[in-house]
């Protein structure tokens, strides 16, 4: 009995005591007009040193190079600060291509959120698996909402398929993002949002497969560019964002989609569609508790009432 009591006290002490690794978060603003990046700093380290280690390891990671659309950041400059107490909700956005993502960041900020960008491979500033897990836990604690955004295709091996029509894939990048999202979902009850690729990534996280090419596999056309109409499910969170509108025109910049039929009893369900019958495509999803809300289109790039309503809806939902 005494041994059990001692074990229980030890578990409580571990839960309440400071972390053995004491990873901290730093906000790095490399450029005056650029986004605020969020990076981990290992125990006893300096923010600038962590940034230098991150960049050095990122450029040395040859298996991540195919995910890097540009070399927009190559040296340590700018300012470092702590994560500040904010008037608006804190949105943490996951980059997947090593870009500044100004359009996405500013769209959330215009809607009223304080927005930080986790750059591609941010965990490379750290040297151990334990530190990387603590980094993911800190992100989950800091965020009022987390957002997965648009980008390249997801490696089909992560949903148990062979590569057929997917391209520009990078499995290490995908695994890093999925680890952050999994920690966030399991460790908090806060909202999770997805845009385009992020919508698909969240589907994969929940055990769904993807249609690797809509035209070749499904016969659905007109999704690669331009605009189309979507039909929205009445009573959904998305319909609420749009004031009850059930038919709106959105942009379309994708060739893949979540295959909700691959997991019929899964946690997500479609809340918007394009097309009919065998060529119908899920254009938005929600979890049954409304915590997860994703869209296949890009509201952050729509300079109109529909785009603004969705972006403001995300932020108001967190408030």
């Amino acid at each position: 009995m005494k041994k059990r009591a001692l074990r229980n006290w030890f578990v409580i002490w571990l839960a309440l005591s400071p972390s053995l690794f004491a990873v901290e978060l730093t906000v790095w603003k490399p450029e005056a007009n650029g986004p605020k990046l969020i990076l981990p700093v290992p125990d006893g380290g300096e923010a600038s040193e962590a940034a230098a280690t991150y960049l050095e390891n990122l450029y040395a990671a040859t298996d991540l190079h195919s995910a890097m659309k540009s070399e927009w950041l190559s040296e340590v400059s700018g300012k470092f600060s702590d994560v500040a107490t904010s008037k608006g909700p804190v949105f943490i956005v996951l980059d997947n291509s090593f870009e500044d993502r100004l359009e996405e960041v500013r769209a959330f900020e215009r809607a009223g959120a304080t927005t930080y960008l986790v750059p591609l491979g941010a965990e490379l500033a750290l040297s151990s698996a334990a530190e990387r897990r603590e980094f993911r836990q800190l992100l989950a604690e800091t965020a009022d909402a987390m957002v997965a955004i648009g980008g390249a295709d997801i490696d089909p091996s992560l949903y148990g398929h062979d590569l057929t029509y997917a391209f520009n894939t990078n499995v290490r990048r995908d695994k890093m993002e999925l680890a952050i999202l999994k920690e966030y979902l399991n460790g908090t009850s806060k909202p999770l949002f997805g845009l385009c690729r992020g919508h698909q990534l969240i589907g994969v996280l929940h055990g769904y497969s993807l249609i690797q090419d809509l035209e070749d596999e499904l016969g659905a056309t007109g999704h690669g560019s331009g605009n189309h109409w979507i039909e929205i499910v009445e009573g959904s969170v998305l319909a609420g964002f749009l004031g009850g509108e059930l038919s709106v025109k959105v942009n379309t910049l994708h060739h893949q989609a979540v295959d909700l039929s691959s997991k019929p009893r899964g946690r997500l369900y479609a809340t918007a569609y394009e097309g009919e019958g065998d060529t119908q495509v899920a254009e938005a999803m929600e979890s049954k508790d409304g915590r997860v809300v994703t869209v296949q289109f890009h509201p952050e790039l729509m300079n109109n009432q529909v785009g603004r309503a969705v972006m403001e809806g995300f932020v108001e939902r967190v408030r």
Side-chain angles (χ1 to χ4, degrees):
M1 191 71 179
K2 288 182 179 179
K3 287 183 178 179
R4 182 180 295 176
L6 284 171
R7 184 171 65 244
N8 290 342
W9 276 111
F10 180 68
V11 170
I12 293 170
W13 175 81
L14 281 177
L16 297 178
S17 63
S19 167
L20 295 175
F21 301 99
V23 172
E24 296 180 349
L25 297 180
T26 188
V27 176
W28 179 21
K29 195 168 175 59
E31 304 163 336
N33 296 320
K36 297 184 289 290
L37 308 184
I38 197 162
L39 284 179
V41 181
D43 184 26
E46 296 290 334
S48 59
E49 292 174 356
T53 299
Y54 161 65
L55 291 177
E56 180 181 356
N57 290 340
L58 177 67
Y59 282 103
T62 55
D63 58 343
L64 282 175
H65 289 181
S66 65
M68 298 169 65
K69 280 195 173 181
S70 66
E71 297 183 4
W72 71 276
L73 188 59
S74 58
E75 61 183 23
V76 178
S77 60
K79 297 180 179 180
F80 295 91
S81 62
D82 295 331
V83 179
T85 302
S86 171
K87 293 181 180 178
V90 173
F91 275 52
I92 289 183
V93 175
L94 306 184
D95 184 25
N96 54 72
S97 59
F98 199 54
E99 296 180 281
D100 62 16
R101 296 293 190 175
L102 272 177
E103 287 181 289
E104 290 93 336
V105 167
R106 286 175 176 169
F108 281 107
E109 290 182 340
R110 284 194 298 269
T114 296
T115 309
Y116 298 109
L117 184 71
V118 179
L120 170 69
E123 66 180 44
L124 296 174
L126 302 170
S127 59
S128 74
E131 288 178 320
R132 291 191 285 275
R133 181 173 182 189
E134 189 174 357
F135 170 52
R136 296 192 288 269
Q137 291 172 339
L138 285 171
L139 288 177
E141 292 171 7
T142 301
D144 292 317
M146 190 168 283
V147 186
I149 54 177
D153 292 351
I154 298 157
D155 194 289
S157 66
L158 297 174
Y159 49 91
H161 285 208
D162 294 330
L163 191 152
T164 53
Y165 299 105
F167 54 88
N168 294 333
T169 61
N170 188 288
V171 70
R172 187 179 183 194
R173 178 266 318 277
D174 299 341
K175 287 180 177 179
M176 288 178 172
E177 281 185 275
L178 286 168
I180 292 173
L181 294 176
K182 185 176 181 180
E183 186 70 46
Y184 180 80
L185 273 181
N186 292 341
T188 77
S189 58
K190 294 180 283 191
L192 174 63
F193 303 129
L195 308 174
C196 197
R197 177 188 189 273
H199 158 93
Q200 296 168 6
L201 189 68
I202 290 169
V204 171
L205 179 66
H206 283 82
Y208 297 89
S209 301
L210 301 184
I211 300 164
Q212 290 188 43
D213 189 86
L214 289 169
E215 186 167 0
D216 285 318
E217 292 188 27
L218 200 67
T221 59
H223 287 266
S225 62
N227 302 278
H228 59 55
W229 289 88
I230 63 172
E231 305 304 316
I232 301 168
V233 173
E234 187 174 5
S236 64
V237 173
L238 180 59
F241 290 171
L242 295 166
E245 287 287 332
L246 300 182
S247 183
V248 297
K249 183 180 282 189
V250 299
N251 56 9
T252 180
L253 298 164
H254 65 108
H255 77 109
Q256 300 191 321
V258 177
D259 181 5
L260 285 167
S261 69
S262 63
K263 195 174 182 180
R265 296 184 180 179
R267 287 188 58 215
L268 305 179
Y269 68 99
T271 55
Y273 297 94
E274 190 280 330
E276 297 179 351
D278 293 339
T279 62
Q280 192 174 67
V281 176
E283 288 280 341
M285 301 184 302
E286 292 172 20
S287 59
K288 293 169 184 176
D289 61 3
R291 177 188 177 190
V292 178
V293 181
T294 70
V295 295
Q296 181 60 74
F297 53 96
H298 284 270
E300 79 282 9
L301 304 180
M302 295 169 61
N303 187 25
N304 60 21
Q305 185 176 354
V306 171
R308 287 190 294 272
V310 174
M311 297 303 291
E312 290 169 4
F314 283 142
V315 175
E316 289 304 314
R317 187 159 184 79
V318 178
R319 289 188 200 277

